[in-house]
């Protein structure tokens, strides 16, 4: 979620907005103007087919957020709750159920018959439907909700777990003993918030016994930055205060964290006791937002949410190195890795005054190759080739924009992920879009089938698996 929106929720919206505006003006100059021109000639490139759209249902109609996948189903998070879609026919998705359970953010993760759902706006109590309360209320609930979706048509609320500062995002780290571990990322502490005290340089780890998910509890809250994080870099939107998001690579026992002012690597061989093994800063990054490993875990692609998701950063004036992806190769030994900068990537389809910034994406599972599909808010969905980490390039896009096609609803996509032959885009306003990639370079990905996919818990893929 954009930090600006979450900043409003924590009572610091004016400060966050002012910080983003100041940072943006510093980059573009006070007299810069953005031409309101169409970013391209077509809504889609010739190798991307838009095959379906499902508008948001009336009951769950707030901002769409992240996605998770299980079997023939897509689970779509929303600030109002979540929606389960049947995508057994990707060109004709059907809404199976809608769960109304407001709490802000609505980050979702699926594990078997369980859905883990992030609550980042305080509620009066743990129950769905409870009213919002001020963040200064010591009894307000924030954290994780757990649902049972064994009956996709009738999800059932199981339990909730409180976490400090709530849950902005969550990451699944599967255990080996019938246990899930959930890494909860949250931030924006204040002395005024009884349940979110500074410095909050930590994450929360929830243990979920799969045979008794109602007994889930926080088992550790490790401090990732014992000496403090990056606070002095002039262009930061927020200093490091915990993490915004974490991506785990369970088969390699590693994770990458995007932590506002810092990018990190972690050893998660003991999932309850993660160890930070590398910390980096980047003078061009304002807000380390998310991370994705390559399939061999030899490279990490980090994203920068310049302007907090509230500013037009895909412009010639801002340039190609701010609000971009940064690609780092992982060098050194597994117990002492280093991150080495390779390049930046940013879409060059300039969006004028439209809000555009790098956001969530995933690998396209072509064995031995590195392709990435990614959301850019109003910049649409981008297909990126970063096989040469020093020379990434866009090879396809879907950019719904009424300046290009006056009959199309403008898009602002939060997440775009490849799953079992198609790309699914969670558009904040349009709903769920489904894309087919008609490109011979990407066609081998159609041979990779998942039973379950959480983009922030990356699996290793092979052809036919």
């Amino acid at each position: 979620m954009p930090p600006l929106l979450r900043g409003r929720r924590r009572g610091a919206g004016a400060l966050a907005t002012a910080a983003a505006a100041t940072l943006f003006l510093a980059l573009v100059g006070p007299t810069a103007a953005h031409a309101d021109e169409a970013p391209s000639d077509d809504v889609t490139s010739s190798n991307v087919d838009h095959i379906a759209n499902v508008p948001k249902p009336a009951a769950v109609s707030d901002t769409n957020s992240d996605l998770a996948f299980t079997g023939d189903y897509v689970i779509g998070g929303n600030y109002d709750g979540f929606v389960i879609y049947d995508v057994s026919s990707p060109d004709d998705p059907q809404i199976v159920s809608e769960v109304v359970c407001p709490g802000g953010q609505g980050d979702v993760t699926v594990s078997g018959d369980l859905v883990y759902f992030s609550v980042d706006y305080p509620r009066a109590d743990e129950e769905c439907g409870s009213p919002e309360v001020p963040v200064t209320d010591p009894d307000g609930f924030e954290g994780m909700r757990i649902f049972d979706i064994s009956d996709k048509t009738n999800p059932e609320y199981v339990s909730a777990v409180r976490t400090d500062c709530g849950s902005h995002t969550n990451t699944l780290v599967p255990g080996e003993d019938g246990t899930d571990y959930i890494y909860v990322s949250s931030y924006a502490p204040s002395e005024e918030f009884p349940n979110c005290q500074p410095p909050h340089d930590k994450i929360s780890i929830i243990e979920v016994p799969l045979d008794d998910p109602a007994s889930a509890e926080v088992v550790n809250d490790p401090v990732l930055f014992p000496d403090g994080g990056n606070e002095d870099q002039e262009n930061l939107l927020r200093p490091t205060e915990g993490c915004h998001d974490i991506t785990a690579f369970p088969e390699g026992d590693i994770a990458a964290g995007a932590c506002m002012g810092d990018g990190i690597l972690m050893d998660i061989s003991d999932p309850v006791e993660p160890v930070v093994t590398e910390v980096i800063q980047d003078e061009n990054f304002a807000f380390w937002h998310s991370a994705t490993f390559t399939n061999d875990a030899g490279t990490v692609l980090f994203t920068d949410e310049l302007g907090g998701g509230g500013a037009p950063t895909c412009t010639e004036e801002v340039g190609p190195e701010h609000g971009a992806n940064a690609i780092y190769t992982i060098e050194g030994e597994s117990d002492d890795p280093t991150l080495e900068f390779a390049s930046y990537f940013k879409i060059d389809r300039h969006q004028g005054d439209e809000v555009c910034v790098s956001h969530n994406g995933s690998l396209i599972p072509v064995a031995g190759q590195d392709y990435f599909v990614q959301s850019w808010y109003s910049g649409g969905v981008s297909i990126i080739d970063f096989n040469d980490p020093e020379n990434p390039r866009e090879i396809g896009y879907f950019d719904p924009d009424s300046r290009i096609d006056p009959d199309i609803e403008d898009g602002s996509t939060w997440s775009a992920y490849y799953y079992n032959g198609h790309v699914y885009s969670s558009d904040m306003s349009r709903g769920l879009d489904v894309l087919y990639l008609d490109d011979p370079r990407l066609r081998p990905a159609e041979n990779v089938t998942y039973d379950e996919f959480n983009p922030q818990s990356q699996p290793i893929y092979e052809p036919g698996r």
Side-chain angles (χ1 to χ4, degrees):
M1 162 190 174
L4 296 190
L5 298 179
R6 186 189 15 70
R8 276 205 299 275
R9 158 266 189 204
R10 292 230 178 263
L15 178 61
T17 302
T22 300
L23 173 59
F24 181 67
L25 288 174
L27 290 171
V28 305
T31 61
H34 311 302
D36 188 26
E37 299 177 356
S40 55
D41 294 331
D42 297 294
V43 167
T44 65
S45 58
S46 60
N47 58 347
V48 177
D49 296 330
H50 179 227
I51 63 171
N53 170 260
V54 183
K56 292 183 292 187
V60 186
S61 60
D62 205 330
T63 301
N64 271 351
S65 57
D66 218 355
L67 301 173
F69 305 84
T70 180
D72 288 330
Y73 299 93
V74 175
I75 301 162
N78 184 284
Y79 281 40
D80 280 341
F82 64 91
V83 178
I84 299 180
Y85 304 88
D86 181 340
V87 295
S88 54
S89 297
D91 59 349
D92 187 26
Q94 300 293 317
I95 293 177
V96 175
S97 57
E98 307 160 33
V99 174
V100 179
C101 194
Q105 188 65 6
D107 202 36
V108 288
T109 299
V110 63
S111 177
D113 289 332
L114 300 178
V115 164
Y116 305 130
F117 181 86
S118 290
V119 179
D120 203 26
Y121 288 15
R123 317 302 295 186
D125 56 46
E126 297 179 357
E127 295 305 314
C128 287
S130 60
E132 186 172 354
V133 296
V135 75
T136 52
D137 184 345
D139 297 322
F141 167 76
E142 298 178 272
M144 295 297 305
R145 298 190 193 277
I146 301 175
F147 294 86
D148 184 324
I149 60 164
S150 52
D151 180 355
K152 302 294 188 297
T153 66
N154 186 31
E156 295 185 358
Y157 178 48
V158 175
S159 65
V161 181
R162 293 172 181 263
T163 59
D164 290 348
C165 297
S167 174
H168 192 67
T169 61
N170 72 84
T171 301
L172 173 66
V173 180
E176 297 180 353
D177 53 356
T179 301
D180 279 347
Y181 297 96
I182 308 170
Y183 286 9
V184 176
S185 296
S186 52
Y187 59 106
S190 170
E191 295 284 358
E192 300 176 1
F193 305 156
N195 300 321
C196 187
Q197 291 287 296
H200 194 71
D201 289 328
K202 64 182 184 178
I203 61 173
S204 297
I205 300 177
I206 297 173
E207 182 179 84
V208 184
L210 297 181
D211 59 356
D212 184 20
S215 67
E217 61 181 351
V218 174
V219 292
N220 197 10
D221 53 356
V223 174
L224 303 182
F225 302 93
D227 300 321
N230 184 4
E231 299 180 356
D232 301 326
Q233 189 172 311
E234 291 184 359
N235 64 331
L236 290 181
L237 180 63
R238 299 193 70 94
T240 298
E241 44 195 13
C243 289
H244 176 271
D245 207 353
I246 293 170
T247 295
F249 195 90
E251 292 195 47
D253 286 335
I254 57 174
C259 305
M260 281 143 278
D262 295 274
I264 65 173
L265 290 179
M266 292 188 289
D267 179 337
I268 59 170
S269 52
D270 181 348
V272 180
E273 298 284 351
V275 176
V276 175
T277 56
E278 170 72 317
V279 181
I280 55 170
Q281 291 88 41
D282 188 317
E283 64 181 7
N284 287 319
F285 261 41
F287 190 89
W288 294 72
H289 179 273
S290 54
T292 302
F293 290 97
T294 51
N295 192 48
D296 63 359
T299 300
V300 182
L301 185 152
F302 289 99
T303 68
D304 176 21
E305 193 181 44
L306 173 66
T313 70
C314 299
T315 66
E316 185 175 0
E317 293 83 359
V318 173
E321 295 184 350
H322 296 277
N325 300 330
I327 300 170
Y328 286 80
T329 59
I330 302 177
E331 310 294 340
E333 301 299 324
S334 59
D335 60 347
D336 186 25
T338 60
L339 288 168
E340 301 293 336
F341 175 78
S343 67
Y344 296 110
F345 170 83
K346 187 176 180 180
I347 60 172
D348 59 6
R349 291 175 287 104
H350 296 147
Q351 301 291 318
D353 290 330
E354 298 294 318
V355 173
C356 172
V357 70
S358 62
H359 222 243
N360 292 353
S362 73
L363 294 181
I364 300 172
V366 178
Q369 301 290 307
D370 296 326
Y371 297 105
F372 189 60
V373 58
Q374 182 180 15
S375 288
W376 288 80
Y377 276 27
S378 69
V381 176
S382 178
I383 313 299
I384 303 161
D385 175 345
F386 68 115
N387 283 287
D388 179 354
E390 295 184 354
N391 294 286
R393 61 195 181 98
E394 183 176 70
I395 61 171
Y397 62 86
F398 168 61
D399 188 357
D401 190 317
S402 59
R403 292 172 295 178
I404 304 171
D405 181 352
D407 295 325
I408 198 167
E409 179 185 2
D410 289 331
S412 187
T413 176
W414 179 294
S415 302
Y417 301 129
Y418 189 97
Y419 179 71
N420 292 358
H422 293 82
V423 170
Y424 296 88
S425 165
S426 177
D427 194 288
M428 290 183 277
S429 54
R430 288 171 50 86
L432 182 72
D433 283 306
V434 186
L435 310 175
Y436 175 70
L437 307 182
D438 188 11
D439 189 312
R441 293 167 292 188
L442 308 177
R443 202 157 292 138
E446 297 177 23
N447 297 322
V448 177
T449 302
Y450 298 127
D451 294 324
E452 183 175 286
F453 179 49
N454 294 295
Q456 286 76 40
S457 185
Q458 283 187 238
I460 290 178
Y461 56 77
E462 297 175 3
R465 283 186 54 196

